[in-house]
Amino acid sequence: MKLRSKTAVPLLLALSALLLVLLTLRTGRTEPPAPPVRPASAPQRPPPSAPKLIRNPGTFTRSGQSAQRHRPLRPRLRASSLGAASLEKLARRPGEPRSFHAVLPPKLWIHLAVVACGSRLEETLVMLKSAVLFSHRKMQFHIFTEESLKSEFDKQLRQWPDSYTKKFEHRIYPITFSVGNSQEWKKLFKPCAAQRLFLPVILKDVDSLLYVDTDVLFLRPVDDIWKFLRQFNSTQLAAMAPEHEIPKIGWYSRFAQHPFYGSTGINSGVMLMNLTRIRTAQFKNNVIPTGLAWEDMLYPLYQKYKNVITWGDQDLLNIIFYFNPECLYVFPCQWNYRPDHCMYGSNCKGAELEGVSVLHGNRGVYHDDKQPTFKALYEAIRD
C-alpha cells in the first residue's frame, strides 16, 4: 500500500487495538477483567481466587484485612430521579458501568442511518458492527433498503449476541422519495444513494442523525463524532468533511461544472445532521429569488443541474451548501478518512496527529488488494 510511514502507523495501531477489542469480546467480556475489589455500582462476578467481599453501608473491606482500607460506595442512580442533562453527563463519564445505556432515555440515544441496496448487505452489517463494538451510548439504527433485503437484515441483526444487541435497536424502512420521479432518484449515482437527501422528511420524529455510507468503519466510539453537534453555532445544521485537503489535486477544484462548497468541496459519506433545523430552515438557491424549504428545493435543484453532476446526491449537497455556507460545520479529515488521503502521499494532518477516527473505504478498497490496511481492518471487524 502506498502510504508514508507516518500515515501507516495510525492505521496499524488502530488495527492492533481493534484486534484486542475483538479478542476480548469473543471471550464473552465487553471490558477488561475487573480488579478484585469493585464499587457496588459496577457489580461483576469476582474471580474464583478473589477473597470474599464484606459490604457495610458506605464501605467495603476484604475479609481478613484491616478495616482501615475502605472507600465509600458509589450510590446507585435511578433514571427517574435525574434530568436529561445529568443522564447525558453520566453517559459520557469514564468508568461508568456498561449497563448504564439501558436506562438512558430514548431522546438521548444516538441515531445512525444507512442506505443499502444491491450487494451492500455485508458491508452494512460490518459497519453497524463497528459502531456497536466501540459505542458507549445506546443507538437507534435506521436502515433504508430494498424489499428483497429487509428480512435478511432483520434476521442477521437478531442473531447477534446479547452483548451486541443490548446496545442498539433497529428499524428497517423502504426506499421512498417524496418529490420528483422515484426512478430518477433511485438511479442517481449509485442505487438508492439519493435516499439520504430525504432523511429529514422521512424521520420526522428524530431531532439529530448521523448518516454514513455502507463502506464506513468506526475506529472509535460513535459518541465522539456525535459530540460535534454541540459545537454547531446558531446557523449550522449539518457537518461533513472536505472532499480533499489539497485543491490542486482535488476532484471538485479540477473538474466540477457546478457550484461546490469551499475550495475542495465536501464528501457526504459521513454526514451529521440536525434534522429539526433542516426541516425549519429556508435555503438560499439560484432557482427562485426567495428561500425554499429543504424538501421543496431538492427536485428543482436536481432538474437544473442533472446534466452536469457526476457524484449525484453529493454534488447536490455541495450546491446547497455553496449557496448556504453558514449552515455547514466542517469537521476534520480523520473523521472521514479515505484512500485519497494516502494514495498520493499523506495529506490528512489530523490523522497523523490523532489517528484515524472513521475509515471510509470507498473505491471498493475493502474488496481488492490496492489498500491492504483498509482491507485488513474491514476483515478484522467482519470476522
Side-chain angles (χ1 to χ4, degrees):
M1 172 173 159
K2 297 179 181 179
L3 279 176
R4 292 186 179 178
S5 58
K6 59 185 177 182
T7 308
V9 169
L11 282 171
L12 293 174
L13 288 175
L15 177 58
S16 300
L18 175 61
L19 290 172
L20 287 174
V21 170
L22 291 169
L23 287 172
T24 302
L25 285 171
R26 288 189 178 188
T27 64
R29 298 178 182 271
T30 57
E31 49 189 307
V37 181
R38 299 182 67 86
S41 61
Q44 283 197 9
R45 186 192 300 269
S49 60
K52 182 179 179 181
L53 295 179
I54 301 176
R55 294 180 178 173
N56 298 314
T59 66
F60 63 88
T61 66
R62 290 177 183 269
S63 58
Q65 295 185 4
S66 169
Q68 292 179 354
R69 296 183 64 187
H70 65 272
R71 304 178 201 162
L73 288 173
R74 186 183 294 171
R76 290 185 72 88
L77 297 170
R78 298 180 181 275
S80 58
S81 65
L82 295 171
S86 299
L87 283 168
E88 186 174 17
K89 183 179 179 181
L90 282 171
R92 303 191 308 272
R93 183 180 298 165
E96 197 67 37
R98 294 285 182 143
S99 60
F100 181 80
H101 60 69
V103 298
L104 198 65
K107 66 181 179 180
L108 293 181
W109 292 3
I110 292 172
H111 290 261
L112 178 64
V114 64
V115 179
C117 290
S119 61
R120 300 286 183 159
L121 174 67
E122 181 190 278
E123 273 191 358
T124 306
L125 291 171
V126 176
M127 180 276 292
L128 295 174
K129 185 179 179 183
S130 75
V132 170
L133 282 173
F134 297 107
S135 70
H136 299 310
R137 293 168 65 174
K138 192 160 185 177
M139 292 178 289
Q140 175 74 56
F141 295 156
H142 302 272
I143 303 168
F144 292 80
T145 190
E146 299 167 304
E147 191 66 33
S148 59
L149 294 178
K150 284 183 179 180
S151 60
E152 191 61 25
F153 267 116
D154 194 56
K155 174 185 173 182
Q156 295 280 350
L157 291 171
R158 294 185 187 280
Q159 288 177 348
W160 284 6
D162 290 344
S163 59
Y164 287 23
T165 57
K166 69 182 181 181
K167 289 186 174 185
F168 71 90
E169 293 185 7
H170 71 277
R171 290 187 62 188
I172 300 176
Y173 305 79
I175 302 296
T176 56
F177 304 100
S178 58
V179 296
N181 185 310
S182 295
Q183 291 305 311
E184 274 189 294
W185 285 121
K186 191 169 184 178
K187 295 176 182 178
L188 183 62
F189 185 45
K190 292 184 179 179
C192 310
Q195 181 71 77
R196 83 185 85 180
L197 298 173
F198 294 86
L199 297 179
V201 181
I202 298 169
L203 301 177
K204 295 183 182 295
D205 297 328
V206 177
D207 175 69
S208 296
L209 182 76
L210 175 63
Y211 166 86
V212 297
D213 285 349
T214 62
D215 52 9
V216 159
L217 294 175
F218 294 96
L219 302 183
R220 62 187 290 178
V222 183
D223 316 50
D224 293 343
I225 192 171
W226 192 255
K227 291 176 185 176
F228 281 117
L229 286 166
R230 297 188 221 135
Q231 299 184 26
F232 284 14
N233 64 25
S234 59
T235 64
Q236 290 166 340
L237 43 74
M240 285 175 269
E243 170 66 20
H244 215 286
E245 302 301 303
I246 304 173
K248 67 180 181 180
I249 59 175
W251 191 91
Y252 283 104
S253 52
R254 291 186 295 163
F255 305 118
Q257 300 179 48
H258 57 77
F260 58 89
Y261 179 88
S263 60
T264 61
I266 45 176
N267 183 281
S268 60
V270 180
M271 181 165 56
L272 193 60
M273 294 177 281
N274 184 317
L275 300 184
T276 301
R277 290 186 178 184
I278 291 175
R279 284 188 287 262
T280 57
Q282 292 289 309
F283 293 88
K284 299 187 292 292
N285 61 89
N286 63 348
V287 177
I288 63 172
T290 59
L292 284 170
W294 183 267
E295 184 179 19
D296 297 334
M297 172 180 56
L298 294 177
Y299 196 63
L301 208 61
Y302 167 68
Q303 288 295 315
K304 182 177 179 68
Y305 290 103
K306 66 180 181 181
N307 293 324
V308 295
I309 58 177
T310 302
W311 308 112
D313 53 303
Q314 178 174 290
D315 289 347
L316 292 177
L317 288 166
N318 267 280
I319 295 167
I320 290 170
F321 290 108
Y322 168 84
F323 290 108
N324 300 271
E326 73 283 358
C327 295
L328 187 68
Y329 179 97
V330 179
F331 50 64
C333 52
Q334 65 264 33
W335 296 95
N336 187 350
Y337 189 89
R338 284 162 280 120
D340 303 71
H341 291 118
C342 57
M343 62 193 300
Y344 306 116
S346 175
N347 56 59
C348 178
K349 299 299 182 185
E352 294 173 14
L353 296 173
E354 301 178 10
V356 176
S357 299
V358 177
L359 194 70
H360 186 179
N362 64 345
R363 300 178 180 266
V365 294
Y366 296 147
H367 311 294
D368 60 33
D369 296 319
K370 294 179 180 178
Q371 300 286 346
T373 308
F374 282 73
K375 184 178 181 180
L377 284 163
Y378 176 81
E379 291 178 349
I381 295 174
R382 182 194 64 190
D383 301 333

